[in-house]
Amino acid sequence: MLLPLLLRPPLCHAQASGLFTGCVRMLHCGAPQGLRFQAEKFLQRRRPHRLHARGRSRRSQNQEEEWRSRNKTVLTYIAAAGVGMIGLAYATVPLYRLYCQATGLGGTAVAGHDTEQVATMTPVKERVIKVTFNADTHASMQWNFRPQQTEIFVVPGETALAFYRAKNPTDKPIIGISTYNVVPFDAGQYFNKIQCFCFEEQRLNPHEEVDMPVFFYIDPEFDSDPRMARVDTITLSYTFFEAKEGQKLPLPGYSYN
């Protein structure tokens, strides 16, 4: 009676489950020996399939856990890279500005000076350079800002002093901050400022007017640089912006629309 069932085409899950249950009952209920033998053979055939299904299920779970772990690792790296790029973006402008001040890149006058060099440098008397001065304000800045002199003549290795004047004509206090550059740009590396008002906030009360000094010198090496052989005029330009939260100052040597 069981043999025809075993020889039938593959059964669906529900049919196979019923047949499996019937075979178990035969083994436990004292069925004839022939039927019990056929039932045992059927159960032996079914058991490996069930064990194989369990093994596949465990492997599938292990793979899912491994994939989840890998995805978490990838997401962690992506998040760290994103945070690093945001931090680098915020640090780029001040770092670039410091680099420009140290090297004179983009027409930026070199910040700071060597006191010993200033005291011992030898002026190049035969090389006279005209330094002109320019003053600008941003469209949103309400100050009046201008140089006290239009030009002065200096020689490399000699210190010089110039003045700018700023006035707040409004009825409210305004805080300003300035940027600067030197033209031609290549001369910026030789233009050294000992004292100036750049990159520092300046507060002017209503109708207040102040003089702002610029103490500088041109490095004597200017005269020995072949690129400077035909340069006899240098222009120092300052631009004032109103200091506001989130205000970004332009990088030296570059113009912003």
Side-chain angles (χ1 to χ4, degrees), residues 126-147:
E126 63 275 10
R127 184 72 185 275
V128 179
I129 302 169
K130 181 172 70 173
V131 179
T132 62
F133 301 89
N134 181 66
D136 293 298
T137 56
H138 188 262
S140 63
M141 184 56 156
Q142 301 181 59
W143 281 7
N144 297 328
F145 180 56
R146 59 185 176 83

Side-chain angles (χ1 to χ4, degrees), residues 65-157:
E65 291 178 358
E66 184 178 355
W67 290 339
R68 290 175 183 174
S69 177
R70 290 181 179 178
N71 289 339
K72 288 181 180 179
T73 303
V74 172
L75 289 175
T76 301
Y77 282 124
I78 293 175
V83 172
M85 293 181 67
I86 292 173
L88 182 61
Y90 277 102
T92 298
V93 171
L95 289 176
Y96 181 79
R97 183 173 292 126
L98 290 174
Y99 175 74
C100 288
Q101 292 178 355
T103 63
L105 181 66
T108 305
V110 178
H113 63 283
D114 186 338
T115 304
E116 184 177 353
Q117 179 183 357
V118 173
T120 59
M121 63 184 178
T122 302
V124 184
K125 296 293 186 180
E126 63 275 10
R127 184 72 185 275
V128 179
I129 302 169
K130 181 172 70 173
V131 179
T132 62
F133 301 89
N134 181 66
D136 293 298
T137 56
H138 188 262
S140 63
M141 184 56 156
Q142 301 181 59
W143 281 7
N144 297 328
F145 180 56
R146 59 185 176 83
Q148 288 286 71
Q149 63 290 303
T150 57
E151 61 186 36
I152 62 175
F153 292 88
V154 300
V155 299

Side-chain angles (χ1 to χ4, degrees), residues 58-68:
R58 289 178 182 176
R59 285 196 299 272
S60 177
Q61 290 178 355
N62 292 337
Q63 288 179 349
E64 288 181 2
E65 291 178 358
E66 184 178 355
W67 290 339
R68 290 175 183 174

Side-chain angles (χ1 to χ4, degrees), residues 1 11 29 31 38 66-67 106 112 119 137 157 173 190 198 201-202 206 223:
M1 182 178 71
L11 303 176
C29 297
Q38 292 179 4
E66 184 178 355
W67 290 339
T137 56
Y190 299 109
C198 50
E201 292 186 351
Q202 310 286 336
D223 186 55

Side-chain angles (χ1 to χ4, degrees), residues 134-148 163-178 197 202-212 238-242:
N134 181 66
D136 293 298
T137 56
H138 188 262
S140 63
M141 184 56 156
Q142 301 181 59
W143 281 7
N144 297 328
F145 180 56
R146 59 185 176 83
Q148 288 286 71
F163 288 90
Y164 282 80
R165 176 166 292 181
K167 180 179 180 179
N168 177 12
T170 70
D171 295 325
K172 62 179 181 179
I174 297 178
I175 299 176
I177 188 169
S178 68
F197 49 87
Q202 310 286 336
R203 176 189 172 94
L204 292 186
N205 293 319
H207 305 286
E208 182 180 4
E209 186 174 17
V210 297
D211 289 332
M212 300 179 176
Y238 281 90
T239 302
F240 255 106
F241 299 78
E242 184 174 357

